[in-house]
Amino acid sequence: MQCDYFDAGLCRSCTLMEVPYGSQLAAKESACRTHVDASGVTWLPPVVSAEAGFRNKAKMVVGGTLEAPTLGILDPQGRGVDLQGCGLYPPSLRASFPVLARFVTRARLQPYDVPGRSGELKHVLVTQSPDGELMVRFVLRSTEALARIRKHLPWLQDELPGLRVVTANVLPEHKAALEGEREIVLTQDDTLRMSVDGLDLHLRPQSFFQTNTDVAAALYRQASAWADEAAPRSVWDLYCGVGGFALHLAGPGRVVTGIETSAEAIESARATAAEAGLAGVRFEAGDATAFALASSDVPDLVVVNPPRRGIGAELAGWLERSGVARVLYSSCHAPSLARDLAAMPSLRPARGRLLDMFPQTGHFEVLVELVRA
């Protein structure tokens, strides 16, 4: 992938931009095998991604001036660097950026000046569904600009016909954070439908969804295929998010329970299950470790998809002691995966697969099937 921003030294976020894609994959496969250090593991061919245009979400820092706002990143001095032409986004998503920049000027949303700690608009977060519909979130310092956003919202909806959800997120603190806790929905719709393998996953503003839709779909299909081979009657999906794994693993005669701390994500998962008519699936908001430790039951299969920190010693210890026959571990951080595997010596890696969710970087997703020895 060629990138003018990278060549000009304006953005170096894609650390592997100059590395041929085949070499990127080989290095990631090597890292997987190194961290999943066990003999007898069968490694399936990696799931490859498009090298460009694969991101479904843009996290744009707003800089510049009211008349000439930038959407992109900040340089080391805290000044805005405009990246509206970034090739990681598909053309249909990139087409929304100039419109959003004009909206910043039209609605008088003063870009936040990090060095000076002044201004209102900190970030613009844009998510695109596979059908081309959009969710736009304006991350603001306060609610001062709400009336102007509401006033000019019809213009934005006219300019972006696929716009379904618009929110204002309030982040008053001066800190390195992407968003705040308060979310104000400004449109009739409050969820974006992410169609994956025939399921409409409902994505709410603060719900997590994988950044690469095609590779995420492959991840869910692989987990479903391995689960179907084992034919479990009961499944737990811990850290379930909007229910991607749980909903794909649901089926006749199978009881699936999804656990996630985000109440918004749980509501999204319940909505999808109800629309799809999936019986035997339930979702509860709560801490994954606390749920496991408090349960008197042990399922046939556990799926874990934790954040970068991994599942941690307590949950790994419970899985080791529980007697659960199989675990599907989806990890975005190989070192934490290795640490968790070391705490579960009775659950041996049997199969693994690299899924290249993040081309041009050293990051990746890996799915590992653990079988009790």
Side-chain angles (χ1 to χ4, degrees):
M1 175 180 167
Q2 187 275 331
C3 175
D4 291 340
Y5 300 121
F6 186 92
D7 294 343
L10 295 174
C11 177
R12 292 301 175 106
S13 300
C14 293
T15 55
L16 301 183
M17 182 67 69
E18 296 177 307
V19 179
Y21 188 57
S23 299
Q24 293 183 31
L25 281 176
K28 293 178 183 185
E29 283 191 280
S30 177
C32 283
R33 294 170 187 258
T34 298
H35 286 93
V36 183
D37 184 17
S39 60
V41 181
T42 299
W43 287 97
L44 278 65
V47 173
V48 301
S49 170
E51 296 182 45
F54 59 84
R55 288 190 64 96
N56 57 33
K57 184 174 184 178
K59 304 174 182 179
M60 312 295 274
V61 181
V62 182
T65 65
L66 193 59
E67 298 304 326
T70 61
L71 303 181
I73 59 174
L74 299 179
D75 68 12
Q77 288 73 45
R79 296 172 302 204
V81 177
D82 195 81
L83 300 178
Q84 291 185 45
C86 175
L88 297 183
Y89 308 111
S92 53
L93 181 51
R94 290 203 305 269
S96 70
F97 299 157
V99 177
L100 291 167
R102 292 200 298 273
F103 183 79
V104 171
T105 302
R106 189 182 188 91
R108 312 302 289 175
L109 306 179
Q110 183 67 46
Y112 185 67
D113 176 19
V114 172
R117 300 192 180 193
S118 62
E120 280 296 316
L121 181 60
K122 296 182 175 183
H123 305 110
V124 173
L125 311 179
V126 191
T127 305
Q128 184 180 59
S129 76
D131 299 324
E133 295 185 337
L134 297 174
M135 175 191 294
V136 174
R137 302 170 63 206
F138 296 101
V139 181
L140 304 165
R141 187 184 187 188
S142 72
T143 58
E144 181 272 334
L146 269 182
R148 296 194 301 280
I149 294 176
R150 292 183 190 275
K151 175 183 176 181
H152 295 283
L153 186 54
W155 177 89
L156 185 62
Q157 291 170 313
D158 287 342
E159 293 292 310
L160 297 175
L163 185 59
R164 290 293 171 266
V165 183
V166 178
T167 73
N169 178 277
V170 184
L171 177 63
E173 299 87 358
H174 178 84
K175 62 181 181 181
L178 187 65
E179 61 189 49
E181 294 182 1
R182 186 182 178 190
E183 197 87 27
I184 303 167
V185 179
L186 304 175
T187 48
Q188 181 176 351
D189 292 334
D190 62 358
T191 65
L192 185 67
R193 291 175 179 266
M194 303 292 288
S195 180
V196 179
D197 292 333
L199 283 171
D200 278 348
L201 302 179
H202 290 252
L203 186 63
R204 290 174 183 266
Q206 295 193 13
S207 298
F208 170 79
F209 188 78
Q210 298 282 7
T211 192
N212 189 323
T213 306
D214 289 343
V215 177
L219 173 64
Y220 299 145
R221 288 195 299 269
Q222 184 62 76
S224 180
W226 285 350
D228 286 346
E229 288 180 22
R233 295 184 61 82
S234 56
V235 178
W236 289 356
D237 178 9
L238 305 181
Y239 311 94
C240 71
V242 296
F245 284 105
L247 294 162
H248 277 78
L249 268 61
R254 186 177 293 170
V255 177
V256 181
T257 301
I259 303 297
E260 165 63 45
T261 56
S262 169
E264 275 207 341
I266 290 298
E267 287 303 314
S268 299
R270 288 171 176 168
T272 301
E275 283 187 358
L278 295 174
V281 185
R282 73 180 182 96
F283 294 97
E284 299 294 336
D287 177 76
T289 300
F291 172 81
L293 294 178
S295 179
S296 58
D297 299 322
V298 177
D300 300 324
L301 172 69
V302 175
V303 180
V304 292
N305 182 30
R308 285 178 60 83
R309 66 176 181 271
I311 63 175
E314 279 194 286
L315 183 53
W318 181 88
L319 288 168
E320 172 68 13
R321 300 187 304 270
S322 67
V324 64
R326 275 182 169 77
V327 175
L328 299 182
Y329 193 134
S330 180
S331 171
C332 64
H333 190 235
S336 62
L337 168 64
R339 184 171 60 249
D340 291 337
L341 293 181
M344 302 182 290
S346 296
L347 288 161
R348 304 296 296 162
R351 292 183 285 191
R353 192 168 197 184
L354 164 72
L355 300 103
D356 193 19
M357 199 79 70
F358 316 101
Q360 316 306 336
T361 76
H363 302 294
F364 56 85
E365 193 85 13
V366 58
L367 182 66
V368 180
E369 180 189 38
L370 309 176
V371 178
R372 188 165 296 275

